[in-house]
Amino acid sequence: MDDELSKKFYRIGDVAELLNLPQPTIRFWEKEFSELRPRRNNGGTRMYTPNDIEQLRIIRFLIKDKGLTIAGAKEHLKRNRHNLELKHRTITRLKDIRRQLTDLLEALDKRQKQ
């Protein structure tokens, strides 16, 4: 996951595209979750680190995938951060493996049709 994040800092537009989230949602979550405090450059532009992006991924997982409310996500993070991070990494890794296997199957199908 962090392998794909090669830069030290990312702007909010890059993060929004990477996570498939609207920029206003990211800004709103910054106000709601104390874990999200991106740096700002001299011009006031938010600069997200790979760690900030990982925090956003976990919050997105809780709210979008698990269907928790903001309050529920906060409580879940407070009570179970380590297990949640491990579970999120595992699920993300499994999705990557599934995508790779699907790509391999498609490539094999194309090769057989030739």
Side-chain angles (χ1 to χ4, degrees):
M1 183 176 325
D2 287 331
D3 299 340
E4 68 190 46
L5 301 175
S6 57
K7 298 190 301 188
K8 265 182 127 171
F9 295 103
Y10 295 81
R11 294 189 167 153
I12 192 168
D14 299 328
V15 174
E17 186 176 320
L18 184 68
L19 299 178
N20 196 26
L21 288 170
Q23 290 181 29
T25 298
I26 295 171
R27 288 191 285 272
F28 176 73
W29 287 353
E30 283 176 24
K31 294 175 188 171
E32 295 295 320
F33 294 91
S34 60
E35 296 89 350
L36 294 177
R37 293 292 175 251
R39 295 179 183 173
R40 292 185 183 250
N41 66 13
N42 292 338
T45 302
R46 290 170 172 83
M47 303 304 287
Y48 295 85
T49 64
N51 186 49
D52 294 327
I53 295 169
E54 181 61 23
Q55 294 301 314
L56 280 164
R57 281 183 170 151
I58 291 169
I59 292 167
R60 181 182 182 275
F61 170 73
L62 289 172
I63 293 173
K64 300 290 184 181
D65 296 343
K66 288 191 77 172
L68 296 178
T69 63
I70 299 259
K74 284 181 186 180
E75 182 63 29
H76 206 69
L77 283 169
K78 187 171 134 180
R79 283 186 294 125
N80 206 10
R81 173 166 291 284
H82 177 70
N83 288 338
L84 179 62
E85 289 174 353
L86 180 61
K87 184 177 182 178
H88 180 259
R89 278 195 301 268
T90 302
I91 289 170
T92 301
R93 182 75 177 136
L94 288 171
K95 284 180 180 178
D96 287 345
I97 291 169
R98 183 179 188 174
R99 182 189 45 78
Q100 291 172 359
L101 289 172
T102 303
D103 291 347
L104 285 171
L105 280 172
E106 289 174 6
L108 285 171
D109 284 345
K110 285 181 183 177
R111 188 175 177 145
Q112 286 178 345
K113 291 179 183 179
Q114 291 178 348

